[in-house]
Amino acid sequence: MSRVELLSPKVDFVFKRIFGTEENKDVLAHFLNSVFEDSGEPLIADVEILNPFLEKEALSDKLAVLDVKARTESGTLINVEVQLWNHQDMENRTLYYWAKLFQSQLKEGDSYYALQKAVTINVVDFRYLETEVRNSFFSFNNYPK
């Protein structure tokens, strides 16, 4: 009998195939609901997989490519990132990706009221926070519209 080796879901390519493809969007929805349930966010019924590139506005801009980019049926934009090593830049990288995702919603002349919530979920394979809690949630609180 031959032995089949499975690829780790922590490998970028495998992670993206599991969570970032149209044929597996139900897997992404279940994952998001497990995270949202733990954080008190409303659950979702459907998710749309989006192009993971956050387009540059100028030639000199830094190109951002998300691991998984999606939108829920309510319009919430989602970024899911997997990170295996601590490169000492998690806060800046997370905030940069989130800010690009959030700002990408508006075009010239659009109202700020058109902005939808943007969520970043980091799946890390190292101790990042000095806590025994396995899941941590941080948020910018929006004022009601």
Side-chain angles (χ1 to χ4, degrees):
M1 193 181 273
S2 67
R3 182 174 169 212
V4 175
E5 288 197 37
L6 298 177
L7 296 174
S8 170
K10 295 183 284 187
V11 172
D12 230 28
F13 171 79
V14 177
F15 186 86
K16 291 174 184 181
R17 291 292 299 160
I18 293 170
F19 295 106
T21 59
E22 190 63 31
E23 61 268 20
N24 287 341
K25 72 180 195 171
D26 60 326
V27 176
L28 176 62
H30 287 294
F31 171 75
L32 293 174
N33 279 332
S34 69
V35 172
F36 289 168
E37 183 176 50
D38 285 348
S39 68
E41 289 289 318
L43 301 184
I44 62 170
D46 193 24
V47 64
E48 173 189 6
I49 305 294
L50 301 173
N51 178 342
F53 288 86
L54 297 175
E55 299 302 328
K56 295 167 51 163
E57 294 179 19
L59 192 57
S60 61
D61 285 352
K62 182 172 181 63
L63 177 67
V65 183
L66 308 180
D67 287 343
V68 176
K69 180 181 173 187
R71 180 182 3 254
T72 68
E73 72 276 2
S74 68
T76 298
L77 289 172
I78 308 285
N79 169 29
V80 183
E81 294 292 318
V82 64
Q83 188 67 44
L84 300 182
W85 297 280
N86 187 357
H87 297 288
Q88 309 301 321
D89 64 356
M90 282 300 296
E91 295 96 347
N92 289 340
R93 177 195 301 244
T94 298
L95 188 56
Y96 180 78
Y97 283 178
W98 176 86
K100 292 281 286 181
L101 184 67
F102 189 67
Q103 72 87 32
S104 71
Q105 299 177 67
L106 294 184
K107 305 297 178 237
E108 187 171 344
D110 288 349
S111 167
Y112 293 110
Y113 288 107
L115 287 168
Q116 297 293 315
K117 182 186 283 189
V119 174
T120 294
I121 299 169
N122 291 324
V123 179
V124 299
D125 192 31
F126 54 88
R127 181 179 283 284
Y128 179 66
L129 302 172
E130 295 302 321
T131 178
E132 295 304 315
V133 177
R134 294 185 59 81
N135 301 326
S136 299
F137 305 95
F138 303 92
S139 67
F140 295 106
N141 292 321
N142 295 344
Y143 292 100
K145 292 181 181 181

